[in-house]
Amino acid sequence: MVNIKFTYLFFITMVFISFCYAQQGENKALFQLSGIITDASNGASLPAATISVKGTELGVQSDKNGKYILKVSAGKVHLYCQYLGYMAEDTIIEVSANRQFNFLLHPSSQGLKQITIQATADNHKEIATQNLTVLQGTDLDRTRGLSLGEALKSVTGVTTYQTGPSIAKPVIHGLTGSRVAILNNGVTLQAQQWGQEHAPEIDPFVANQIEVIKGAAGIRYGADAISGVISVNPKPLPTDTGSMDAEVNAVGMTNSRLGAFSAMLEGALGKKLAGFSYRLQGTFKRAGNTSTPDYVLGNTGLMEDDFSAAVQYHHKNYGIEGYFSNFNTKLGIEYDTEVGSITDLEQKIAIGHPVTYYDFTYLIDRPYQTVNHSTAKVKGFLNISDSSKIELQYSYQVNTRQEFEELSFSPSLAPAIYLQIHTAAVEANFDHKDGGGFSGTVGLSGVNQGNIRMYGYLIPNYVDYDGGAYVIEKYRHNKWLFEAGARYDYRWLQAYAFDADQAKINTTTTSYSGTSATAGATYNLTDNLKITGNYSAAFRPPSINELYIDGVHQSIGEFEIGDANLKTERANDFSLDLNYTSKWLLVDLEGYYNRINNFIFEEPTDQYYHAQSGALLEFQYTQANVFFRGADLNVLIKPLDSLDISSKTSLIYAWNETIHDYLIYTPPTRLQNGFTYHFGNLGAFRNISVGAENIYVAKQTHVPVGYDFAPPPNAYSLYNAHIGFKLIINKTLADFDIAANNLTNVAYKDYLDRFRYFADEPGRNIIFRLRVPFKILNNNNKQ
Amino acid sequence: MIKRKHAVYALLGTALFYASCSSKSEQAVAPNIANETITQASLKFTNQANVTDTTSCTYTFHVDNNGNVTSVDSTTLTLKANSKYNAVVYMLDQTQSPVFVVSNEIKDRENYHLFFYQPTPINAAPVISNTSPYIPGTPVNTSAAPLNLAIQRTDLDTNNPPLQIGLTTVFTTGAASTGNLRWVLRHQPNAKNGTYYPGSSDLDVNFVTVIK
């Protein structure tokens, strides 16, 4: 109670202070620095280039006409201007009055693949003192065709929790599921994230950029996000009036014979309709059975069809945007992974590979799951002044999941489980910034969710109302950035379960509330070196399965029992980040300690549930105090302009203090070392680059006793290689990329794959990627 | 405390209540329907020497409304010493209406199913082949008196070449003894080869067995 009152007081004070400063700031002596950024070779303006003031957190992006405006204090200002595919400009200017300064950027010889490892302006970050990694450009392109989880494995501290080759959930700093919030174009994905075999329902082809926040980020993204946030962002809609562009992506993979095809059409209307822009995008994906080095995994195909449409109207000071996306998938579940009893499972573990060898096919048979996810959103903004803005967003999501089990004797065509979840969410945010160094966001959010089930019982129907309010304030002064924030959330949950014994409906109502907070600071020791510390507190109410699940988890021989009296989990996350960036070296070292009280996990009860098919071990949800600590190290060296060498290390240690044992499924140490060499142009081939990397994953030796059915698998080492180049097709540069994953065809098992009991991981996979952008209408073309 | 909660509500409530799906549909809970379940599994025996000498053993699963097993009952199997019995499988799903005869459905899907019958204790490891109804890996106990019981499957499916099923069997008893009969149904879609390992178990039960 005291805690809540204190936070409230803090909250109100912060709002008050921030408004006071917003008033004050207008009187401070600041000068306006403005200019235009153009291509030195042809004079074209460059929109969305980044201009930052080195040694500070100040930075902006140029607008659609290449113009930028920065407010700086008098004196020497070290400006840094960069734009993908151009050589960065670094200059120091003297400011004593409002002045204009233009940048002329030269295209870099290696085109888009140039990695500029200078710090980018990070003033757009919603939580400025938490570790944010952005996957974009060629790094993102090289993940096309992979699932969202797989795509993020190149980020330190991130791995996946898998159920066979087709289902992957992202794991951040050791945690996954509902503890990681996933945002699709600004809308928090609301599906059945609690399920271990429920992959995020997002088409990574829509992404232009994927942001990963590592750490407890509940302050901005609401209760649940106690371990991290993944934000999948499409690129902003075009603003070049009268233009129309298209892009086609094609991906082919030799393993699983995956074919993925994605097409996009976008444009901005001109003349009387100037300000309107749109985008249509669709993805089609098919894959058959995946192969390990020694055998084919039966029934591991997948199908995916996605569609999205966006339209926006932007005026100078206000805008409105509509977005709709539909994700539709059918995923095969590997044959012979549904076990009837613990003896069945032990027998399969002893064999270690499938008993029956299957042929390649695209057909998907029972067991399989189908998932449809639709998202609609409307978002509006209004610029109240140069420095403050109000945003309103409404979103509605429907997720329909059907799971079809393997049937022994029944002629039924029905699924085993049908779950449909509806979520409506509203959000209002007020951003403000003054010239004096204060900026911040105040927001309100509300969510209403309803879940309906049919057929077999696993989790009950429920209705849930969430409300939250938060404030985050930042203050920049010289070499310092300070940040503080607080949030309050309330959840009301009513579950309608079928009483197993008395055949009546049991209505249970519970409510949860809690506060989240963040406090952090960044100090720029030099232009190149900065140190950031952050403390974040967040909480997560128990999820519906943890409260009420009652049933058999087919593939792991478990009978799961929920506990309706579980309390909320509370995370206290500390992180310290050291970042050095120069023209040839980047070092980012982050250490973290995330202590979670009342951490919810499954504990074996040492009882057996006697199913028709034999005995299954019973697991009951319970709570304990645990901590996760670890370090993520990312090093990038450019000894030559044409050579990048990268090294990534993720270390993590997790301990359950209540039972004095390790935590199950903690990711083992992971190292990724690689290089890319840029050859430049060779005849018709442009921007040729060749690279290779080694991925080493250690054996997890820190495992709790009695929680797993098999010991962790051995360490493994994989080699990947790629070659990329551009060719001019129809007057535009098309990207080609050929990659080989698991080049040496190593047979291995991964600790974080639930199906490691039954089979190896996929063998060698050669991936062909092609991207062709084309212009349909030019700027201001007469239509 | 209550006021505070209400303040949050007042701000959010209006928009949300309009937006929300009606909670009535959540409150109308659909019945729990499992695609398949086994509530009763029996073996019915007829003495080859005397067709009026019949016996049976039955394993009953009591399931709750979530389809989970709450308790089980099992009868003792009592057979005469030094006799031969014809046995047939009879399995039911009594949660369906009308009652679903599971063993008939298994007959229809005979190419995907295989029954195993394992007496215990045993003094020597059973012979394992694709015509043996015995379960590989059964522990050998040389210190206990064995259950003197041998089983042969007597039916064939339509695989090419045909494989046994185990819906009908012959039980041959020896001298008086006691022990257990483990009875397993393996479900082996597109994988049946006469051996135990492919697929997974649909039924795995034990009967206390007395030969006298």
Side-chain angles (χ1 to χ4, degrees):
Chain A
M1 286 298 154
V2 173
N3 192 18
I4 292 170
K5 277 181 185 158
F6 172 76
T7 317
Y8 251 80
L9 200 64
F10 179 66
F11 180 99
I12 291 159
T13 316
M14 285 306 291
V15 176
F16 189 67
I17 289 174
S18 62
F19 283 109
C20 292
Y21 271 88
Q23 292 292 314
Q24 243 179 37
E26 285 158 25
N27 305 327
K28 269 200 163 181
L30 275 169
F31 297 111
Q32 183 169 301
L33 188 61
S34 61
I36 183 157
I37 299 155
T38 47
D39 181 324
S41 61
N42 61 13
S45 59
L46 298 176
T50 308
I51 306 94
S52 52
V53 181
K54 292 194 79 179
T56 73
E57 298 278 338
L58 273 179
V60 291
Q61 287 202 331
S62 57
D63 69 10
K64 63 182 178 185
N65 300 316
K67 287 183 184 146
Y68 76 94
I69 299 171
L70 261 175
K71 281 186 176 159
V72 294
S73 27
K76 276 188 180 156
V77 178
H78 187 168
L79 283 180
Y80 184 76
C81 175
Q82 64 172 1
Y83 188 66
L84 207 59
Y86 289 80
M87 313 263 262
E89 280 287 325
D90 213 353
T91 183
I92 296 173
I93 61 166
E94 187 76 36
V95 178
S96 55
N98 287 352
R99 69 171 284 186
Q100 201 157 2
F101 189 86
N102 297 337
F103 285 93
L104 286 172
L105 296 186
H106 296 270
S108 67
S109 53
Q110 281 128 24
L112 280 171
K113 180 52 209 166
Q114 179 90 346
I115 296 183
T116 41
I117 54 181
Q118 289 281 2
T120 54
D122 47 5
N123 60 337
H124 68 286
K125 283 169 70 173
E126 282 168 323
I127 311 170
T129 58
Q130 260 184 347
N131 192 309
L132 174 91
T133 310
V134 181
L135 187 66
Q136 60 187 357
T138 29
D139 292 336
L140 180 64
D141 290 343
R142 198 151 286 136
T143 67
R144 296 295 185 204
L146 301 179
S147 68
L148 180 67
E150 280 294 313
L152 293 171
K153 272 185 159 176
S154 62
V155 177
T156 55
V158 181
T159 182
T160 55
Y161 186 70
Q162 285 175 256
T163 301
S166 52
I167 301 175
K169 289 174 83 80
V171 176
I172 300 180
H173 283 176
L175 292 170
T176 184
S178 55
R179 293 172 178 118
V180 172
I182 299 175
L183 277 77
N184 177 16
N185 193 6
V187 179
T188 307
L189 178 72
Q190 297 285 354
Q192 309 282 353
Q193 284 109 320
W194 52 268
Q196 291 164 317
E197 70 280 43
H198 303 170
E201 292 88 348
I202 288 182
D203 172 18
F205 272 110
V206 304
N208 176 48
Q209 178 185 77
I210 303 177
E211 293 181 337
V212 180
I213 297 173
K214 296 184 273 183
I219 180 79
R220 180 63 184 80
Y221 301 98
D224 290 351
I226 66 168
S227 188
V229 176
I230 292 162
S231 180
V232 178
N233 305 321
K235 72 177 166 187
L237 286 168
T239 50
D240 226 3
T241 52
S243 68
M244 191 195 273
D245 297 291
E247 187 181 294
V248 171
N249 273 279
V251 178
M253 297 189 186
T254 54
N255 196 338
S256 83
R257 301 185 204 171
L258 176 141
F261 187 80
S262 183
M264 182 270 287
L265 177 75
E266 64 178 16
L269 301 178
K271 296 185 179 171
K272 282 180 182 167
L273 292 171
F276 280 100
S277 48
Y278 59 89
R279 177 180 297 139
L280 296 170
Q281 182 269 346
T283 300
F284 172 92
K285 203 193 239 184
R286 294 288 181 276
N289 289 346
T290 297
S291 304
T292 71
D294 302 314
Y295 43 83
V296 173
L297 300 172
N299 203 40
T300 50
L302 68 89
M303 303 163 68
E304 191 183 307
D305 300 300
D306 312 317
F307 169 76
S308 72
V311 58
Q312 76 173 19
Y313 176 72
H314 264 204
H315 192 261
K316 197 177 164 203
N317 282 322
Y318 59 88
I320 187 157
E321 171 197 345
Y323 175 77
F324 174 81
S325 75
N326 185 276
F327 175 96
N328 206 21
T329 191
K330 180 175 178 181
L331 296 164
I333 310 287
E334 195 183 326
Y335 279 139
D336 302 330
T337 56
E338 288 196 358
V339 296
S341 68
I342 195 146
T343 43
D344 244 19
L345 178 62
E346 282 166 354
Q347 182 202 72
K348 284 176 200 282
I349 289 170
I351 297 172
H353 60 80
V355 173
T356 312
Y357 287 176
Y358 298 93
D359 293 327
F360 177 85
T361 172
Y362 280 105
L363 291 177
I364 300 170
D365 185 15
R366 280 174 178 252
Y368 68 92
Q369 46 179 254
T370 62
V371 190
N372 185 290
H373 192 94
S374 296
T375 306
K377 94 165 182 181
V378 182
K379 183 181 177 178
F381 73 86
L382 173 65
N383 292 328
I384 299 168
S385 66
D386 279 355
S387 53
S388 58
K389 177 164 106 166
I390 287 180
E391 277 183 350
L392 280 169
Q393 177 174 302
Y394 170 80
S395 63
Y396 192 81
Q397 298 173 70
V398 183
N399 180 290
T400 311
R401 163 173 289 275
Q402 297 185 71
E403 298 186 359
F404 298 80
E405 85 280 44
E406 196 171 302
L407 289 174
S408 174
F409 48 80
S410 164
S412 169
L413 297 173
I417 287 166
Y418 171 102
L419 298 166
Q420 188 172 67
I421 188 165
H422 297 253
T423 310
V426 286
E427 214 177 283
N429 296 310
F430 171 70
D431 286 338
H432 71 90
K433 190 160 58 177
D434 72 357
F438 266 100
S439 63
T441 310
V442 181
L444 292 171
S445 71
V447 174
N448 168 229
Q449 195 165 75
N451 186 56
I452 295 166
R453 56 144 285 282
M454 288 198 282
Y455 304 101
Y457 178 84
L458 201 56
I459 60 161
N461 286 0
Y462 66 86
V463 174
D464 149 325
Y465 289 90
D466 290 9
Y470 73 92
V471 56
I472 308 176
E473 285 298 318
K474 288 166 215 165
Y475 176 66
R476 293 188 169 87
H477 186 70
N478 295 332
K479 295 183 163 188
W480 283 96
L481 164 74
F482 297 99
E483 180 178 47
R487 180 182 178 110
Y488 176 78
D489 282 284
Y490 178 78
R491 174 173 295 175
W492 179 90
L493 173 71
Q494 192 163 67
Y496 312 99
F498 204 69
D499 188 300
D501 305 319
Q502 295 170 34
K504 65 178 180 70
I505 293 160
N506 255 350
T507 304
T508 353
T509 310
T510 46
S511 66
Y512 306 91
S513 62
T515 51
S516 308
T518 192
T522 294
Y523 180 67
N524 291 278
L525 289 145
T526 68
D527 279 359
N528 302 112
L529 183 64
K530 63 177 180 182
I531 183 162
T532 303
N534 177 277
Y535 160 73
S536 288
F539 77 102
R540 183 182 75 94
S543 60
I544 193 75
N545 63 314
E546 291 161 345
L547 294 165
Y548 303 113
I549 200 167
D550 183 27
V552 174
H553 212 136
Q554 281 299 355
S555 61
I556 43 178
E558 282 186 15
F559 185 85
E560 295 184 332
I561 305 166
D563 178 359
N565 297 314
L566 292 172
K567 297 190 281 285
T568 59
E569 281 181 353
R570 302 208 57 91
N572 287 285
D573 190 7
F574 301 85
S575 69
L576 194 63
D577 185 271
L578 196 67
N579 183 289
Y580 178 85
T581 30
S582 73
K583 277 191 167 156
W584 65 277
L585 178 67
L586 176 147
V587 179
D588 190 80
L589 174 64
E590 190 202 5
Y592 59 90
Y593 174 86
N594 193 358
R595 195 194 148 86
I596 303 174
N597 290 340
N598 293 327
F599 179 78
I600 300 168
F601 67 109
E602 280 178 283
E603 193 172 47
T605 59
D606 295 327
Q607 306 270 313
Y608 287 90
Y609 166 75
H610 291 275
Q612 288 85 344
S613 53
L616 296 160
L617 200 53
E618 263 184 26
F619 281 76
Q620 165 106 44
Y621 280 97
T622 183
Q623 297 189 290
N625 295 340
V626 304
F627 69 78
F628 292 81
R629 68 169 184 233
D632 296 337
L633 174 66
N634 187 9
V635 180
L636 184 62
I637 312 166
K638 271 181 91 73
L640 305 170
D641 263 2
S642 50
L643 181 64
D644 310 319
I645 299 170
S646 82
S647 173
K648 294 170 182 174
T649 308
S650 310
L651 300 172
I652 183 164
Y653 176 93
W655 182 252
N656 185 330
E657 291 185 344
T658 308
I659 59 164
H660 301 286
D661 208 340
Y662 298 106
L663 275 168
I664 193 170
Y665 294 133
T666 301
T669 299
R670 184 179 170 89
L671 309 175
Q672 249 176 295
N673 293 298
F675 74 91
T676 303
Y677 186 79
H678 306 276
F679 283 100
N681 301 339
L682 207 84
F685 295 90
R686 308 283 181 89
N687 308 323
I688 305 168
S689 71
V690 171
E693 67 169 348
N694 171 261
I695 297 171
Y696 173 82
V697 176
K699 178 175 177 164
Q700 180 57 276
T701 50
H702 294 157
V703 291
V705 179
Y707 281 72
D708 204 348
F709 302 100
N714 289 328
Y716 63 86
S717 172
L718 305 178
Y719 290 91
N720 300 336
H722 65 85
I723 176 165
F725 53 86
K726 290 174 195 283
L727 281 175
I728 294 182
I729 295 180
N730 193 22
K731 292 181 197 165
T732 52
L733 278 175
D735 288 315
F736 290 79
D737 190 83
I738 302 165
N741 288 350
N742 192 2
L743 190 64
T744 51
N745 211 19
V746 172
Y748 68 102
K749 293 184 189 246
D750 190 89
Y751 179 53
L752 294 184
D753 188 341
R754 290 198 310 144
F755 283 1
R756 72 186 152 91
Y757 300 140
F758 312 108
D760 288 339
E761 294 295 317
R764 185 187 299 126
N765 188 14
I766 317 261
I767 306 161
F768 300 87
R769 296 189 174 94
L770 168 66
R771 184 177 63 175
V772 191
F774 38 109
K775 243 187 172 14
I776 296 172
L777 287 175
N778 264 326
N779 213 353
N780 297 320
N781 218 351
K782 291 196 169 65
Q783 297 181 31
Chain B
M1 202 59 220
I2 287 166
K3 276 182 185 170
R4 215 176 279 136
K5 281 179 190 170
H6 281 222
V8 176
Y9 251 43
L11 286 163
L12 303 169
T14 332
L16 276 175
F17 279 105
Y18 283 111
S20 65
C21 34
S22 103
S23 65
K24 277 178 187 144
S25 44
E26 282 83 8
Q27 286 172 28
V29 178
N32 298 315
I33 303 166
N35 274 329
E36 54 184 27
T37 191
I38 299 166
T39 55
Q40 198 170 303
S42 311
L43 288 169
K44 295 186 172 176
F45 297 89
T46 308
N47 194 330
Q48 283 186 358
N50 175 7
V51 290
T52 60
D53 178 13
T54 61
T55 182
S56 70
C57 58
T58 298
Y59 209 95
T60 309
F61 299 93
H62 301 286
V63 295
D64 66 15
N65 291 294
N66 287 349
N68 292 325
V69 178
T70 51
S71 64
V72 292
D73 290 323
S74 129
T75 59
T76 300
L77 169 60
T78 308
L79 299 173
K80 289 194 174 74
N82 303 312
S83 308
K84 279 196 169 198
Y85 289 90
N86 292 331
V88 293
V89 170
Y90 186 65
M91 287 158 73
L92 296 177
D93 175 1
Q94 290 150 305
T95 64
Q96 314 250 6
S97 179
V99 169
F100 194 73
V101 183
V102 172
S103 36
N104 291 347
E105 298 298 323
I106 290 172
K107 176 69 190 155
D108 288 348
R109 293 163 182 76
E110 59 189 14
N111 289 2
Y112 289 178
H113 292 91
L114 186 56
F115 284 94
F116 286 84
Y117 301 83
Q118 177 65 57
T120 56
I122 48 174
N123 284 155
V127 175
I128 303 299
S129 73
N130 64 3
T131 54
S132 159
Y134 302 128
I135 299 171
T138 305
V140 174
N141 185 347
T142 46
S143 59
L147 178 67
N148 297 313
L149 179 62
I151 296 123
Q152 289 100 38
R153 302 190 194 101
T154 55
D155 47 1
L156 288 173
D157 66 17
T158 58
N159 275 309
N160 185 19
L163 298 164
Q164 296 184 340
I165 311 160
L167 280 165
T168 62
T169 47
V170 171
F171 277 53
T172 309
T173 59
S177 51
T178 58
N180 281 286
L181 175 72
R182 183 173 169 209
W183 180 29
V184 175
L185 169 60
R186 298 289 288 176
H187 173 224
Q188 306 173 322
N190 304 313
K192 184 174 172 182
N193 63 2
T195 69
Y196 186 84
Y197 293 109
S200 60
S201 299
D202 283 337
L203 181 77
D204 189 341
V205 295
N206 263 296
F207 291 108
V208 172
T209 305
V210 178
I211 297 172
K212 59 183 181 185

